[in-house]
């Protein structure tokens, strides 16, 4: 991707970001796309309902992803292992590292996610909203993996994440 020098500050006043609602009561606030920052970064805020999944296992070929947990508790799957990060914690995922995340069982989550270099991913988040509401299929994202630098993982990695999530929720009330 060619980075273009940006010569202006980007300001997103409170309440002006596009919101993509998710069925569990959470959603994405689309803060900055790669085009908005001359390719420097992309940013979004994600809120997750109690115990809700945030992203299935994937990796980014070119981008580093930073997560700052603004509130709640998040369960992260990082390179085959799981860790729980509470309010105030920070996670930085380097390019190529398999990862997934979701609100911890019994908890909600509020995350700031920053991807650098910036990729135009607002279309990806809109597609995720349609998929979560049953208006589109997950398979519709598969041809777009290179475009959005989100490469979905199946097989053993997906099975390990599913097992970790099931183990974490065993004996607890189902998430809403």
């Amino acid at each position: 991707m060619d980075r273009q020098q940006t010569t202006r500050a980007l300001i997103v006043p409170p309440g002006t970001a596009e919101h993509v609602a998710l069925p569990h009561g959470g959603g994405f606030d689309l803060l900055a796309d790669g085009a908005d920052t001359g390719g420097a970064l992309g940013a979004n805020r994600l809120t997750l309902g109690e115990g809700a999944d945030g992203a299935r296992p994937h990796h980014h070929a070119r981008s580093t992803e930073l997560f700052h947990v603004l509130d709640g508790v998040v369960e992260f799957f990082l390179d085959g292992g799981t860790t729980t990060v509470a309010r105030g914690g920070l996670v930085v995922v380097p390019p190529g590292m398999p990862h997934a995340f979701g609100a911890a069982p019994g908890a909600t989550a509020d995350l700031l996610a920053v991807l650098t270099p910036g990729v135009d991913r607002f279309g990806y988040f809109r597609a995720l909203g349609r998929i979560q509401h049953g208006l589109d299929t997950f398979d519709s994202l598969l041809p777009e993996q290179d475009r959005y630098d989100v490469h979905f993982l199946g097989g053993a990695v997906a099975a390990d994440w599913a097992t970790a999530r099931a183990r974490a929720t065993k004996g607890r009330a189902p998430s809403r």
Side-chain angles (χ1 to χ4, degrees):
M1 170 196 304
D2 291 334
R3 290 189 188 189
Q4 297 175 346
Q5 183 74 21
T6 183
T7 58
R8 62 180 177 84
L10 173 64
I11 299 170
V12 182
T16 63
E18 178 183 347
H19 182 76
V20 177
L22 296 175
H24 51 68
F28 294 100
D29 288 335
L30 307 180
L31 300 171
D33 221 0
D36 299 326
T37 65
L41 60 88
N44 72 83
R45 183 173 182 175
L46 171 62
T47 53
L48 296 171
E50 188 176 310
D53 280 330
R56 62 178 61 192
H58 66 284
H59 77 274
H60 306 288
R62 304 181 306 271
S63 303
T64 296
E65 192 164 23
L66 174 146
F67 297 95
H68 181 224
V69 181
L70 302 171
D71 201 8
V73 183
V74 182
E75 183 176 42
F76 284 93
F77 180 75
L78 301 165
D79 204 18
T82 58
T83 189
T84 302
V85 180
R87 179 180 178 205
L90 181 80
V91 174
V92 178
V93 182
M97 179 179 281
H99 61 287
F101 61 91
T108 60
D110 186 358
L111 299 151
L112 175 66
V114 178
L115 195 76
T116 184
V119 175
D120 290 336
R121 295 179 73 211
F122 282 4
Y124 169 75
F125 296 117
R126 292 178 189 116
L128 287 177
R130 289 190 304 275
I131 291 164
Q132 288 287 315
H133 285 285
L135 303 174
D136 209 341
T137 66
F138 179 76
D139 288 347
S140 68
L141 276 179
L142 297 179
E144 304 296 335
Q145 294 179 89
D146 286 333
R147 175 181 175 191
Y148 296 129
D149 192 22
V150 178
H151 305 275
F152 301 105
L153 303 170
V157 174
D160 288 348
W161 171 238
T163 299
R165 290 294 276 175
R167 189 176 319 126
T169 59
K170 188 176 182 177
R172 297 185 184 202
S175 18
R176 294 175 229 181

